[in-house]
Each structure stands twice: as C-alpha cells, then as structure tokens.
Amino acid sequence: MSERISHAPPASALILIAEDEEEIADILRAYLQRSGLRTRHAADGEAVLAMHQSLKPDLLLLDVQMPRIDGWKVLSEIRSRGDTPVIMLTALDQDIDKLMGLRLGADDYVVKPFNPAEVVARVQAVLRRTLMSDSSASRILRVGLFQIDLESHEASIRDGDSQQMLDLTLTEFRLLACLMRAPRRVFSRAELLVQCLPEGDTQERTVDSHVSKLRRKLDALGIHGIPASVWGVGYRFGSDS
C-alpha cells in the first residue's frame, strides 16, 4: 500500500548527508539542492553525531559503512536522542541488513548503486510523512484505504465513495496509528509496548494478543495481512506498504 499525502515537504528542510565517499555525497548534494532542499555533509560517524547535535537536521541520509562509528551505531544513538527521520544507504542488498536498519528505527532504506532521483523522492516522501505527523493543523493519517483522525480517535477505511468506521479499542487504535506513521518501518514488540500500551502489561507477548485481535477485525472486513509480521523482529503496517 502507498501513503497518500497532500502536504508538500518544506522547501527549506535541512538534509544531513552522512557518506564517506565524496563523489556520492556530491551527487546527492546536487540532486537535493536542485529540489530546493538545504544540505550539509559529514564524512564519518563522529562528525555525523556532532553535526546532528548542533544542526538539528530535518532528515539524515546515513550510509551504513561509515568510518570511526558505523551507521548502525550512529542510528542507535540518533534514536536515543529523538525522532529525526533517517534513511539508510546500504551497499548490502540483503533482507537482514534492511530489517536491522528498520528495527533500530530507520524510516526507509536505499540500496547502492541507486538512482539519485529515487533518493530525492524517498527523502521528500519521508519529509511529507513527518510534516503531517507534526502538523497542528492536520492530524489525519492516510495510508491506502485507511484513515485515522488522531484528535477524535476515529479510524476508518474507504468503502467506495464513503468511509466505514472501525470499531477499535484504544490499544488497537494506538497500534494502527503507530504503524501508519511509518508504514515501511518494522517496529519491535518492545517499541510497540512502550508506544501503545504505556500504562498496561509489561509483557511483550501482550502486543501479539492485541495485534491478533486487530487483524481479526480487519479480516472480517476483507482486509488481510495488516498488520504484517516480520519473523524475529516485530510488525509493520503491511507487507506491500
């Protein structure tokens, strides 16, 4: 499923490019700036963390194989600081590498060699999602047939030209909203436990129970495979999101 968003990313957004290969960094910088985005460049993991702290970028393009501190450790530190959007750049086209990045909190990933225009498109998509999540004017999340109003706590699916309301518990609503905010990302059970059941049970298996109940409600409406399981990691919104 693809996310439908009407907001445009801010033209003045600052993108921190964490890439030790100068030629690749120059190409990314040129394409991003051509799209109206501001850029800064860091060539090693230590510089990335220092510049992230001082510049507060709107998004981080992070190469996995960084010198001094590798991309995984950088990502882990960035996530301990906050929720800066991160897109991983990896030369390793293997599922385990992608899943590790998403499990640690990456918002998306791009495999080298890549088309720079595709990277820009991914950056703009993540910025749009972030803008919509942070906007005080609009608290509506839309992914595929799904729509969630974060203020009224109403969830619905598109049924032809109308919206069919979903009868969800508070925990089911939180789970669905959390997954829809980053539909490509895989959330661990521990993350979902903290974000969706903050005052509830501390057992991670409780998440499985609530996900199962949410699935059954959606299955009854003819919507299958949401949320999707990622074996050994956790859950994401859908297998084709």
Side-chain angles (χ1 to χ4, degrees):
M1 291 187 178
S2 59
E3 186 169 5
R4 299 174 59 217
I5 305 170
S6 58
H7 297 282
S12 60
L14 175 62
I15 313 302
L16 177 56
I17 302 170
E19 171 59 64
D20 63 317
E21 296 185 45
E22 191 67 35
E23 183 177 356
I24 293 177
D26 287 342
I27 292 172
L28 289 171
R29 184 187 298 117
Y31 272 78
L32 290 165
Q33 291 178 353
R34 190 181 304 167
S35 298
L37 299 165
R38 295 181 296 136
T39 65
R40 293 292 298 274
H41 174 229
D44 64 69
E46 289 183 359
V48 175
L49 293 175
M51 293 175 71
H52 175 266
Q53 186 71 27
S54 61
L55 297 175
K56 303 294 190 295
D58 296 290
L59 184 142
L60 173 61
L61 277 175
L62 177 59
D63 185 25
V64 170
Q65 298 179 334
M66 293 289 287
R68 296 192 178 180
I69 304 177
D70 68 38
W72 302 129
K73 293 179 181 178
V74 171
L75 175 59
S76 181
E77 174 62 25
I78 294 295
R79 278 293 159 264
S80 72
R81 297 177 179 181
D83 57 359
T84 302
V86 177
I87 297 178
M88 304 297 292
L89 304 175
T90 174
L92 305 174
D93 188 11
Q94 298 178 4
D95 288 344
I96 189 171
D97 297 295
K98 299 171 186 177
L99 293 177
M100 180 182 291
L102 294 172
R103 182 186 65 183
L104 291 174
D107 296 88
D108 203 350
Y109 60 84
V110 179
V111 177
K112 297 179 180 178
F114 49 72
N115 182 336
E118 179 188 355
V119 178
V120 173
R122 297 284 187 93
V123 167
Q124 292 173 330
V126 172
L127 286 173
R128 290 190 190 101
R129 285 204 297 265
T130 305
L131 177 64
M132 186 168 68
S133 296
D134 294 340
S135 172
S136 60
S138 174
R139 302 298 295 175
I140 304 296
L141 297 178
R142 294 187 182 90
V143 182
L145 300 176
F146 288 78
Q147 176 174 299
I148 277 186
D149 188 320
L150 297 173
E151 290 186 347
S152 66
H153 274 245
E154 292 179 335
S156 62
I157 57 172
R158 190 171 66 250
D159 184 8
D161 295 328
S162 62
Q163 293 291 125
Q164 179 178 352
M165 303 305 297
L166 298 176
D167 183 17
L168 305 179
T169 65
L170 176 58
T171 297
E172 291 164 356
F173 179 90
R174 287 173 174 171
L175 282 169
L176 188 59
C178 180
L179 298 172
M180 284 176 61
R181 283 191 178 98
R184 292 177 58 87
R185 179 182 164 189
V186 180
F187 290 84
S188 69
R189 290 170 177 81
E191 287 179 295
L192 293 174
L193 189 66
V194 170
Q195 296 188 42
C196 305
L197 292 86
E199 67 289 327
D201 199 315
T202 58
Q203 299 297 317
E204 290 186 12
R205 64 176 178 270
T206 304
V207 173
D208 296 332
S209 176
H210 288 288
V211 167
S212 179
K213 292 176 182 177
L214 174 58
R215 276 196 191 131
R216 285 199 295 269
K217 290 182 178 181
L218 297 177
D219 283 342
L221 298 173
I223 299 174
H224 307 294
I226 295 177
S229 298
V230 179
W231 187 83
V233 183
Y235 298 99
R236 65 187 299 178
F237 177 73
S239 59
D240 59 347
S241 60

